[in-house]
Amino acid sequence: MSNLRNFDLNLLLAFDVLMLELNVTRAAKKMFITQSAMSHTLHKLRQQLDDPLLVKTSTGMKPTERALALIDPVRALLNETERLIQPPSEFEARTSQHRFVLAASDYIELLLMPELSGLNEKNAPGIDLHIKRTEKSLQIEELEKGSLDVVLGFESVLNPPTHLRRQYLFSDSMACVVRRQHPIVKSNPSLAEFVDVPHMLISRTGKDFGMIDQRLSELGLERRIKLIIPHFLSAALIVSKTDMILSLPYRIAEQFATLAPLEIFPVPIELPDYDLCMIWHPLRDKDPAHQWLRERITSICKRIDTI
C-alpha cells in the first residue's frame, strides 16, 4: 500500500497513450500537452516503475518486456476506472423491476396512492409499492438503512431533522363535515354551534386532545368528543348517519363528500395550515430509481395542489 500511496495514478493514462503511439511527440499531442511535458512524464514513469519502458531502436521506440507485460492490465484498470466514474444510467421504469417502501398515513394513501398506483400499472408494470404506516416519531434509522425510501406527512407532525432531505408538496387546511339535513348545522357553523354539537375525532395515536382542543381551551371553551376512531376509512359513513360533526383536512373532506351525503363547512376558529412534505435520506439523493419515485410523487402532488 505504501508503494501505491507514492505512485501518481495519473501516470497510468500517459503510459497507455505512450504504448499506443510509441512516440513521445504523438503521445503529447493526443494528451494535449507539450512534448517537454510528455518527456517529463515518461521520465517519472521510468522512475516509478524502475524500468526504461520505451527504448530507442533503429526502427523507432520499442516497449520493454516490462512495458509489454503492463499494457493489458493498465488498459483494463483504466477501462474499469472510466466505468466507475461514469454517472449512473437513467432509471428505465418501463422495464425495471424495483420495490419501493413508503411510510404514509391513510390521509396520504387516499389522496396519492390511486393515481400513483395507476401510473405504475400503465407505465412501470415492474414497480412494486409497499406502504407502511407512519410512526409516532420519524423513522430515521429505516431511512438511513434504505429499508424505507420516503416518508410522506405533515411537516409540523414529523418535525424532520435538518440533515434529512425534505420537499414541500402542498398545503391543506381544516374543515368540518356534517350529514346533510343536520338538525343544528345548516350553514357555516358559529363557534357556539361548533362547540354545542357532539364531535367525532380521528386520532391515530388515541389522544383525545388536539390542535382544535388547544385553540378552544385558549378561548375558554371545550367540545364534547363523543366518538374517537383511529382511521379515516369508516369516518365518512359514521358521520353521515349521526348528528356528530367531524373536523379533518379539507382535501379529505372533499373526498368524503363524494362517498356519503355530507356538507363541508369551515372550522369557525383560526388554525394554521398543514404543509405536506416528502422526506428522504441524502444517501439516496442521487439514486436514479429514487429520483424517479420522487419525481412521480411531486408531479401528482402538483396536480392535487391545483384542484
Side-chain angles (χ1 to χ4, degrees):
M1 185 62 72
S2 60
N3 289 337
L4 184 58
R5 289 198 199 99
N6 296 327
F7 189 86
D8 182 359
L9 294 176
N10 291 315
L11 294 174
L12 295 180
L13 182 58
F15 172 85
D16 186 52
V17 175
L18 284 164
M19 293 302 110
L20 284 170
E21 298 297 332
L22 299 179
N23 181 282
V24 173
T25 301
R26 290 197 301 268
K29 289 181 179 179
K30 197 163 188 177
M31 293 194 67
F32 302 101
I33 60 176
T34 65
Q35 180 179 353
S36 175
M38 181 54 79
S39 295
H40 179 68
T41 299
L42 177 57
H43 177 70
K44 288 179 65 176
L45 272 167
R46 286 167 170 165
Q47 286 184 319
Q48 293 274 347
L49 297 173
D50 192 25
D51 189 90
L53 300 176
L54 279 177
V55 178
K56 287 183 180 179
T57 71
S58 58
T59 57
M61 299 191 80
K62 300 292 183 182
T64 65
E65 291 298 319
R66 169 91 158 126
L68 289 171
L70 288 172
I71 289 174
D72 287 344
V74 167
R75 196 157 295 158
L77 178 60
L78 291 174
N79 289 337
E80 181 64 15
T81 302
E82 187 172 15
R83 186 189 66 80
L84 288 173
I85 64 175
Q86 288 296 316
S89 57
E90 291 186 9
F91 181 67
E92 296 291 343
R94 190 175 294 275
T95 57
S96 293
Q97 302 288 325
H98 202 92
R99 181 173 181 266
F100 293 108
V101 182
L102 299 80
S105 67
D106 42 3
Y107 167 90
I108 304 297
E109 289 178 43
L110 186 58
L111 290 179
L112 180 67
M113 295 317 300
E115 188 169 353
L116 183 59
S117 299
L119 280 176
N120 285 353
E121 282 192 354
K122 182 178 180 181
N123 300 318
I127 301 299
D128 297 330
L129 299 175
H130 177 191
I131 311 301
K132 300 172 62 175
R133 288 193 60 82
T134 50
E135 303 294 340
K136 293 180 181 179
S137 59
L138 188 60
Q139 300 105 303
I140 298 176
E141 187 176 342
E142 289 187 59
L143 287 170
E144 186 172 314
K145 291 190 300 184
S147 56
L148 180 62
D149 290 293
V150 297
V151 177
L152 301 165
F154 293 118
E155 187 168 13
S156 60
V157 175
L158 296 173
N159 192 26
T162 56
H163 76 278
L164 294 180
R165 297 284 191 267
R166 77 187 78 183
Q167 181 173 346
Y168 166 83
L169 297 174
F170 58 78
S171 293
D172 207 348
S173 57
M174 290 296 287
C176 57
V177 295
V178 295
R179 69 178 178 89
R180 289 178 190 166
Q181 300 178 340
H182 192 278
I184 298 175
V185 182
K186 306 292 186 182
S187 59
N188 291 356
S190 66
L191 183 56
E193 289 174 333
F194 183 77
V195 172
D196 287 343
V197 173
H199 284 250
M200 175 181 170
L201 175 66
I202 301 173
S203 175
R204 182 174 58 85
T205 63
K207 291 182 179 180
D208 60 358
F209 191 90
M211 182 183 294
I212 289 176
D213 302 285
Q214 176 64 39
R215 183 69 183 118
L216 289 174
S217 177
E218 292 169 359
L219 297 172
L221 300 170
E222 185 179 1
R223 62 176 175 167
R224 177 193 173 194
I225 299 176
K226 189 172 183 178
L227 174 66
I228 300 175
I229 60 173
H231 307 295
F232 282 93
L233 181 62
S234 60
L237 295 178
I238 294 173
V239 75
S240 72
K241 296 181 181 298
T242 68
D243 291 336
M244 291 184 288
I245 189 169
L246 171 64
S247 299
L248 71 170
Y250 180 77
R251 297 179 194 277
I252 295 297
E254 287 186 309
Q255 296 287 330
F256 278 10
T258 67
L259 301 174
L262 300 173
E263 298 284 354
I264 305 174
F265 301 114
V267 175
I269 53 176
E270 289 188 9
L271 295 169
D273 288 347
Y274 293 92
D275 287 341
L276 184 78
C277 69
M278 174 168 54
I279 299 165
W280 67 95
H281 201 282
L283 287 171
R284 268 152 288 285
D285 210 30
K286 299 297 184 180
D287 178 78
H290 207 274
Q291 288 179 326
W292 177 87
L293 172 67
R294 300 197 310 264
E295 287 169 2
R296 298 288 78 70
I297 292 173
T298 302
S299 177
I300 294 171
C301 289
K302 282 182 180 179
R303 287 196 288 275
I304 291 174
D305 203 22
T306 59
I307 297 174

